[in-house]
């Protein structure tokens, strides 16, 4: 039975009906597609957990390294900014590359390079050399989010794509939460002052796993000899955006990404979310340790709590993505309103139990709205431009959002107070909620579920 005969047997009114028509016509191909999709998701998820095991190592030990070398807060901010600048631009550039090459190879190769650079960071205490290595780390890490999200976008149809991305989004929380626990254990094992171990062991582990990712990672279904989502699910398989059959990649990029008002607004929201995320997490050691008087073990646990609680928080957002796949912007708006309230509690709190509760809740309300950005981005562009769209939106997040968090937060803290820094974060959160509310109307028009 041909694809055309299967389609003519009945006009599908949902993603499930379309899939059933295809399954009836091609049962073996459908089973093969579903089986392969599970492996692709596993690589995308576990691989991005590994990305964070070789990304945040300097950030988490920055206060110990700063005090050991007699550096200022601003100097630490400059080193963090080195990563931010190259990561932001590389996420954009590497996203475009990922759209044109093997997703599997670019992901695994850049992850292996990240691991090697991470190991090098552990044995470097020269300010200039650290800055250069962080620049290099940003370049190779820039390929990882676009390529791993493009894997999922190309293997999951409209209704499942949002929940797939939402679950994948917890990988950064698992990596972000696991690394401080691993570093705490390693420092306890070898003794204080041996910060190198927090770079060497995670780097070696990730380097070994990158070889498995190279072998098992996913490329686009058609590149692996399988049918496209539009063949399996029809109009429910891919975003409903009009692309001429002969329209070139550059024209698609300019039309649907570079000049799209919707993508530009999503990019602005992402910048706001990254300002919030890194304005809090990058300065946990300095604010909670030096300013508020919490011990290193306490503020690392608080950092880990923020990341761990974000995981069930993201699963809640994933559940909402399944129930309301075209109403994500409204959910993001509510999340940022709640986050603004929690920041006020966080900046004046001196109780350790309260700190753990507040940082945990903030984790869910930082990463929840952020995964919505990923869902919205993939839902408003053609799949052939998924990588560059993710990179373009990510460029806003890092070059505008995290760059501001790395520089504005310590400057305000040193010139005024940490209270002034966190008041700015509250106002930024309210602005992001307003933009999300505006995007809600467009989202309902573009996503068919």
């Amino acid at each position: 039975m041909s694809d055309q005969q299967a389609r003519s047997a009945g006009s599908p009114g949902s993603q499930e009906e379309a899939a059933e028509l295809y399954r009836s016509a091609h049962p073996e191909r459908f089973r093969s597609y579903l089986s392969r999709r599970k492996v692709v998701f596993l690589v995308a998820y576990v691989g991005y957990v590994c990305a964070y095991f070789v990304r945040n190592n300097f950030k988490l030990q920055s206060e110990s390294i700063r005090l050991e070398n007699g550096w200022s807060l601003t100097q630490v901010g400059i080193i963090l900014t080195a990563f931010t600048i190259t990561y932001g631009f590389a996420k954009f550039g590497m996203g475009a590359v990922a759209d044109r090459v093997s997703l599997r190879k670019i992901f695994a190769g850049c992850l292996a390079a990240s691991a090697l650079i991470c190991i090098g960071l552990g044995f470097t205490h020269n300010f200039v050399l650290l800055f250069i290595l962080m620049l290099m780390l940003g370049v190779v890490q820039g390929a990882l989010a676009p390529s791993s999200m493009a894997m999922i976008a190309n293997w999951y149809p409209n209704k499942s794509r949002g929940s797939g991305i939402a679950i994948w989004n917890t990988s950064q929380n698992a990596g972000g939460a696991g690394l401080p626990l691993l570093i705490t254990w390693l420092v306890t094992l070898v003794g204080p002052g041996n910060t190198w171990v927090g770079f060497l062991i995670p780097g070696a582990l990730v380097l070994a796993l990158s070889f498995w990712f190279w072998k098992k990672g996913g490329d686009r279904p058609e590149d692996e000899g399988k049918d496209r989502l539009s063949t399996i699910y029809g109009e429910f398989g891919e975003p409903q955006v009009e692309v001429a059959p002969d329209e070139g990649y550059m024209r698609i990029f300019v039309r649907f990404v570079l000049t799209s008002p919707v993508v530009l607004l999503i990019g602005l929201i992402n910048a706001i979310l990254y300002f919030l995320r890194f304005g809090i997490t990058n300065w946990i050691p300095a604010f909670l340790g030096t300013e508020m008087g919490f011990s290193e073990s306490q503020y690392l646990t608080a950092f880990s709590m923020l990341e761990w609680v974000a995981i069930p928080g993201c699963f809640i957002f994933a559940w909402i993505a399944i129930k309301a796949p075209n109403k994500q912007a409204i959910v993001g708006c509510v999340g940022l309103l709640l986050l603004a309230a929690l920041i006020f509690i966080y900046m004046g709190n001196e109780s350790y139990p309260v700190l753990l509760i507040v940082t945990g809740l903030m984790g869910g309300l930082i990463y929840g709205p952020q995964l919505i950005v990923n869902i919205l981005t993939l839902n408003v562009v053609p799949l052939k431009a998924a990588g560059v769209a993710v990179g373009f939106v990510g460029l806003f997040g890092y070059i505008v959002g995290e760059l501001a968090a790395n520089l504005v937060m310590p400057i305000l803290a040193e010139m005024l107070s940490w209270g002034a820094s966190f008041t700015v974060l509250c106002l930024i959160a309210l602005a992001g909620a307003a933009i999300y509310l505006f995007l809600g109307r467009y989202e309902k028009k573009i996503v068919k579920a």
Side-chain angles (χ1 to χ4, degrees), residues 335-415:
L336 287 185
L337 291 175
L338 294 174
L339 179 60
L342 284 173
I343 292 173
F344 267 114
I345 299 174
Y346 172 79
M347 67 183 185
N349 170 65
E350 296 181 356
S351 167
Y352 182 57
V354 173
L355 173 67
L356 295 181
I357 295 172
V358 171
T359 52
L361 292 175
M362 285 197 303
L365 295 171
I366 288 170
Y367 286 98
Q370 192 170 4
L371 74 86
I372 289 175
V373 162
N374 295 331
I375 296 172
L376 287 175
T377 302
L378 294 172
N379 278 342
V380 300
V381 299
L383 290 184
K384 62 175 62 179
V388 72
V390 169
F392 184 71
V393 170
L395 178 66
F396 280 78
Y398 280 89
I399 297 304
V400 179
E402 191 183 358
L403 185 62
N406 288 344
L407 298 178
V408 173
M409 292 292 288
I411 289 173
L412 285 176
E414 290 180 332
M415 293 182 62

Side-chain angles (χ1 to χ4, degrees), residues 105-418:
K105 292 180 179 179
I106 191 173
F107 180 76
C110 287
L111 187 60
S114 298
L116 290 173
I117 295 171
C118 176
I119 293 171
L121 284 167
F123 298 94
T124 305
H125 289 276
N126 177 274
F127 181 84
V128 175
L129 187 53
L130 271 173
F131 184 85
I132 293 172
L133 286 174
M134 290 293 277
L135 288 173
M136 294 170 59
L137 183 64
V139 172
V140 292
Q141 283 268 328
L144 302 181
S147 55
S148 57
M149 275 197 280
M151 287 185 201
I152 295 173
N154 277 277
W155 284 84
Y156 282 77
N158 290 348
K159 191 173 182 179
S160 305
R161 188 176 306 115
S163 57
I165 290 295
I167 295 171
W168 169 88
N169 207 76
T170 65
S171 62
Q172 60 187 320
N173 305 118
L179 182 61
L181 294 181
L182 177 60
I183 290 176
T184 300
W185 177 75
L186 290 171
V187 170
T188 301
L189 189 66
V190 302
N194 295 293
T195 54
W196 57 270
V197 73
F199 295 87
L200 175 61
I201 301 303
L205 174 64
V206 172
L207 182 61
L209 286 172
S210 65
F211 290 99
W212 184 77
F213 300 142
W214 180 281
K215 183 178 180 180
K216 295 295 184 179
D219 284 308
R220 297 159 189 84
E222 59 269 29
D223 293 337
E224 297 188 11
K226 293 178 171 55
D227 290 329
R228 289 184 52 163
L229 295 177
S230 57
T231 301
I232 300 173
Y233 297 99
E235 66 176 348
F236 305 100
E238 301 181 12
Q240 294 299 295
V241 289
E242 297 179 4
V243 180
D246 59 345
E247 192 165 4
Y249 179 79
M250 185 55 64
R251 290 192 63 185
I252 290 173
F253 163 64
V254 173
R255 179 183 173 193
F256 291 102
V257 180
L258 190 61
T259 62
S260 168
V262 175
V263 172
L264 292 173
L265 279 177
I266 294 173
L268 179 58
I269 289 180
N270 204 38
I272 288 172
L273 289 170
Y274 272 68
F275 193 126
L276 294 169
R277 172 182 165 185
F278 292 108
I280 294 170
T281 61
N282 280 7
W283 300 106
I284 278 179
F287 174 66
L288 293 182
T290 303
E291 176 71 13
M292 300 301 292
F294 291 103
S295 69
E296 181 177 13
S297 175
Q298 286 177 321
Y299 67 68
L300 284 177
T301 302
F303 187 103
S304 185
M305 181 67 70
L306 183 148
E307 299 287 352
W308 279 122
V309 177
I311 295 177
C314 285
F315 279 124
I316 293 174
F317 279 89
W319 177 80
I320 296 173
I322 296 173
K323 297 298 182 180
N326 55 3
K327 297 179 182 177
Q328 295 299 292
I330 302 301
V331 179
C333 172
V334 175
L336 287 185
L337 291 175
L338 294 174
L339 179 60
L342 284 173
I343 292 173
F344 267 114
I345 299 174
Y346 172 79
M347 67 183 185
N349 170 65
E350 296 181 356
S351 167
Y352 182 57
V354 173
L355 173 67
L356 295 181
I357 295 172
V358 171
T359 52
L361 292 175
M362 285 197 303
L365 295 171
I366 288 170
Y367 286 98
Q370 192 170 4
L371 74 86
I372 289 175
V373 162
N374 295 331
I375 296 172
L376 287 175
T377 302
L378 294 172
N379 278 342
V380 300
V381 299
L383 290 184
K384 62 175 62 179
V388 72
V390 169
F392 184 71
V393 170
L395 178 66
F396 280 78
Y398 280 89
I399 297 304
V400 179
E402 191 183 358
L403 185 62
N406 288 344
L407 298 178
V408 173
M409 292 292 288
I411 289 173
L412 285 176
E414 290 180 332
M415 293 182 62
L416 298 174
S417 67
W418 279 108

Side-chain angles (χ1 to χ4, degrees), residues 62-133:
S62 61
E63 189 67 2
S64 296
I65 295 172
R66 182 182 80 85
L67 295 174
E68 179 182 338
N69 291 280
W71 295 339
S72 68
L73 287 173
T74 302
Q75 284 179 294
V76 172
I78 290 172
I79 293 177
L80 292 173
T81 298
F83 174 87
T84 302
I85 292 173
T86 51
Y87 183 80
F89 283 107
K91 197 172 184 181
F92 176 38
M94 290 292 197
V97 173
D99 285 330
R100 312 300 295 275
V101 302
S102 166
L103 295 172
R104 169 179 59 87
K105 292 180 179 179
I106 191 173
F107 180 76
C110 287
L111 187 60
S114 298
L116 290 173
I117 295 171
C118 176
I119 293 171
L121 284 167
F123 298 94
T124 305
H125 289 276
N126 177 274
F127 181 84
V128 175
L129 187 53
L130 271 173
F131 184 85
I132 293 172
L133 286 174

